Amino acid sequence: MIARIRTVFVQEFRLARRNQWVLLATLMLTLFALALAFFGAGQGAALKADVLSLTAASLATLSVYLIPLIALLMSYDAFSGEVERGALALTLATPIRRWELFAAKFLAQCCAAGIAIVGSLAIAGAAVALVYGTEPAGLWAWARLTATSALLGAVFVAAGLTLSAATGRTARAAAFAIGIWLVMVVLYDLALLGGIMAAGEGVFASRVFPWLVLANPADAFRLYNLAALDAAPVAGIDGLARTLPFAPAAALGALALWLAALLALGMNRTGRIEP
Amino acid sequence: MNVLDITGLTIAFGKTVAVDNVSLSVAPGERLALLGHNGAGKTTLFKAILGFLKPASGQIAVAGHRPGSDAARIAVNYLPETVAFARNLTGREVLEYFSGLRGAPRAEIAGLLERVGLTGAADRAVGTYSKGMRQRLGLAQALIGAPRLLLLDEPTSGLDPVSRHEFYGIIAEAASRGSAVLLSSHGLEEIQNRTDRVAILAQGELRAEGTLAELAARAALRSTIRVTALPGEAERLHAELGGTRVNGTRLDIPCPPGAKLDLLARVGSHAGALADFDLQTPGLDDIYRHFSGQPLREETPQ
């Protein structure tokens, strides 16, 4: 079992590297992080706030868009591509279990996405700390951001793999990947914003709304990072982070639940693929 | 003991019966060719042997094991009709992957690359391979772990005659080492002298099975004598010899196996009226057509 998972892992990670996903994602995230850090730094100095904490706050808002996109792009073709090329039948003709295949692909792509995320945030964080100096609070905020970004990446890798296994066709998987990204990352927020504007202050805003935010992994990620920052100026939906009916750590629980649910669903779907 | 035993196998997709009450067996070292049109049920049969499809009825035993069980998966290796390995991997990496999944020793890989003639290209990306090289890599993959049963689904479609010849050479070698081979094809000429037995599948049913010589004898096909008459003689020849008029001057006369010489003598007696004469003996295609009820390929207008 371990030998088979390792075999698929090595192959899948090699592919991610050769397709230059790791390099591309690292470059993109590093550039965005550096841009936010150094353009936002003037404001931080004026506020006499720690630049690293401030950058962590703005980067949390940006990562919500970028990381799910990168994770979905890495993973959406993992099964559908092999089904279309006829290679999956060969893999499944060997003694490998379906869940082993899913798990190995998941681990490899998480590693690829994780290396890009951790690497780019480490580079950008080090640059900011060197130029502006930092305090323990800033380092903590940065570490939290890095760890939860990797977790967010894992959730969307699992989502991408699941839809790849469920659709079985590359074109359809790509459409679903874009659809999921739009709904989860963009439209969901807009709908919530519309809801809270319409409902105003009341039961919806204080009781229902926070749970709806928690229900979306992307929002849960942002909520956790912003709620953990005392100094960051937050507004709009993010202002909610100040008046939560639950502890911020509950947002991590939501992410973990999503991950577990998607892994279970993905393995189930992989079991139903007919190569 | 047979490596593959199929008894009364039926596979249905909804109301469509893809494989209908098929029984087959292949012994170690034996090569069996499965012939049939696209849609005859060849690939469905293969998928059932691999354990991807559940039979509606009947049994399959792979080296005595249930398809899809670990023992069966280890015993069978498979080469699908079209397979495209990831373009960014090298040939060696592809083989390492499948060796790892089958738990076969890595030390075997160099030998496999040698057997299929890919040693020089082993560390190049698969994307740079020609069609023939990719197919040979697929075959090397199928030879990993010295399988007891090789399932090859139209392995030579799209290959040039030289590659095809080499391909069958490798298959013969695998069979001589004791692997049973079940391969599908739609060309009878292609598998002539390259397999031990032939099974003809049409619309999911097994129509015939045996050596080519047995099938030819069983079909007892008629030859056709085609005569071309001199101008103005066709009418008279038709009346005398029977057969069918093809055009103004040509006449096709069917000829049962035992009556060849007799008919030849009768045609000879009209030698003065003939412009040309041709004897068409039944070919492999006719044998196939006889059993499957369908022409092997599109009729070419004469």
Side-chain angles (χ1 to χ4, degrees):
Chain A
M1 178 189 94
I2 299 295
R4 292 191 295 254
I5 290 180
R6 190 178 56 222
T7 301
V8 178
F9 177 90
V10 167
Q11 165 111 325
E12 204 68 29
F13 188 74
R14 196 179 267 152
L15 278 172
R17 221 180 52 214
R18 300 244 170 103
N19 292 333
Q20 315 220 302
W21 270 119
V22 181
L23 186 69
L24 208 70
T26 311
L27 269 179
M28 190 159 90
L29 285 172
T30 309
L31 282 179
F32 273 110
L34 286 176
L36 278 181
F38 289 98
F39 288 133
Q43 183 198 11
L47 287 171
K48 292 199 180 2
D50 181 41
V51 176
L52 207 52
S53 304
L54 270 184
T55 311
S58 39
L59 206 51
T61 311
L62 183 74
S63 300
V64 148
Y65 292 90
L66 280 184
I67 288 173
L69 190 63
I70 290 170
L72 286 170
L73 285 177
M74 270 186 178
S75 56
Y76 82 89
D77 204 24
F79 285 100
S80 54
E82 287 194 19
V83 171
E84 286 195 354
R85 292 203 314 267
L88 193 67
L90 289 180
T91 300
L92 294 180
T94 72
I96 196 168
R97 303 284 179 272
R98 304 279 180 118
W99 73 263
E100 291 172 358
L101 183 63
F102 186 91
K105 278 180 186 283
F106 170 75
L107 289 175
Q109 299 196 339
C110 278
C111 273
I115 286 172
I117 290 166
V118 173
S120 56
L121 289 182
I123 294 170
V128 172
L130 279 178
V131 174
Y132 296 102
T134 186
E135 319 164 357
L139 285 178
W140 270 117
W142 203 257
R144 264 197 310 270
L145 176 70
T146 309
T148 50
S149 292
L151 181 58
L152 182 67
V155 170
F156 278 90
V157 163
L161 286 176
T162 301
L163 70 89
S164 192
T167 57
R169 288 283 170 269
T170 295
R172 225 182 314 159
F176 271 94
I178 294 297
I180 283 184
W181 183 78
L182 266 179
V183 169
M184 299 286 260
V185 174
V186 183
L187 298 179
Y188 194 87
D189 271 14
L190 284 180
L192 282 191
L193 205 59
I196 204 153
M197 302 273 259
E201 300 282 321
V203 181
F204 178 75
S206 59
R207 301 257 170 231
V208 184
F209 184 77
W211 295 102
L212 287 177
V213 172
L214 206 59
N216 180 335
D219 282 324
F221 160 82
R222 185 165 54 180
L223 187 69
Y224 173 76
N225 276 289
L226 295 178
L229 287 170
D230 296 325
V234 285
I237 289 187
D238 302 335
L240 171 80
R242 300 277 173 271
T243 55
L244 288 178
F246 42 74
L252 286 185
L255 277 172
L257 275 181
W258 268 103
L259 185 59
L262 284 168
L263 287 179
L265 184 63
M267 286 180 190
N268 173 278
R269 291 290 117 182
T270 309
R272 286 165 187 242
I273 296 176
E274 200 203 282
Chain B
M1 193 190 86
N2 287 324
V3 178
L4 178 66
D5 264 314
I6 301 176
T7 35
L9 182 73
T10 300
I11 297 165
F13 300 105
K15 281 187 177 164
T16 320
V17 178
V19 171
D20 192 1
N21 196 22
V22 167
S23 299
L24 268 183
S25 59
V26 192
E30 188 182 34
R31 293 163 298 168
L32 173 64
L34 199 57
L35 293 175
H37 277 64
N38 293 328
K42 292 172 294 181
T43 302
T44 306
L45 189 63
F46 281 3
K47 287 188 170 175
I49 296 170
L50 289 165
F52 293 158
L53 294 174
K54 282 256 172 301
S57 66
Q59 265 106 45
I60 304 175
V62 179
H65 303 283
R66 185 180 55 78
S69 63
D70 274 355
R73 290 198 212 185
I74 288 289
V76 189
N77 276 14
Y78 172 53
L79 177 62
E81 183 183 351
T82 48
V83 58
F85 300 111
R87 302 175 57 84
N88 287 338
L89 297 173
T90 67
R92 192 189 305 278
E93 284 165 352
V94 168
L95 295 187
E96 279 171 359
Y97 173 75
F98 288 106
S99 277
L101 292 184
R102 291 191 170 273
R106 272 173 161 238
E108 254 184 25
I109 291 170
L112 285 172
L113 286 164
E114 178 81 46
R115 270 166 84 186
V116 300
L118 284 177
T119 305
D123 296 307
R124 265 164 50 197
V126 173
T128 67
Y129 283 19
S130 68
K131 163 107 191 171
M133 290 165 81
R134 285 203 298 269
Q135 204 66 6
R136 282 191 308 215
L137 180 62
L139 185 58
Q141 172 277 136
L143 295 174
I144 287 172
R148 300 182 60 189
L149 174 63
L150 268 174
L151 284 186
L152 310 171
D153 197 355
E154 301 193 8
T156 58
S157 66
L159 292 189
D160 61 74
V162 175
S163 312
R164 198 171 279 188
H165 184 77
E166 290 170 356
F167 207 91
Y168 279 105
I170 301 164
I171 293 172
E173 194 204 0
S176 72
R177 295 180 187 211
S179 294
V181 180
L182 177 59
L183 67 88
S184 72
S185 172
H186 27 229
L188 251 179
E189 281 100 352
E190 185 183 322
I191 53 109
Q192 191 177 21
N193 304 325
R194 286 167 169 166
T195 58
D196 305 303
R197 277 190 302 138
V198 173
I200 293 174
L201 204 61
Q203 282 144 8
E205 291 171 29
L206 189 65
R207 295 287 171 84
E209 197 227 305
T211 64
L212 267 181
E214 283 168 8
L215 293 190
R218 207 182 310 158
L221 291 173
R222 291 187 295 195
S223 309
T224 301
I225 288 177
R226 169 167 291 183
V227 295
T228 309
L230 289 170
E233 300 279 15
E235 201 68 38
R236 194 173 59 82
L237 278 178
H238 188 205
E240 295 269 338
L241 298 170
T244 37
R245 290 280 294 275
V246 178
N247 57 21
T249 57
R250 278 200 342 225
L251 189 62
D252 279 356
I253 310 160
C255 176
K260 217 184 285 179
L261 287 175
D262 211 27
L263 186 62
L264 202 60
R266 279 172 60 208
V267 172
S269 68
H270 296 282
L274 298 182
D276 197 8
F277 168 89
D278 199 11
L279 174 67
Q280 296 183 327
T281 50
L284 295 169
D285 282 3
D286 301 287
I287 297 174
Y288 175 83
R289 189 183 341 207
H290 173 80
F291 286 110
S292 72
Q294 290 161 302
L296 195 55
R297 48 178 85 94
E298 295 293 306
E299 291 284 313
T300 43
Q302 309 237 328

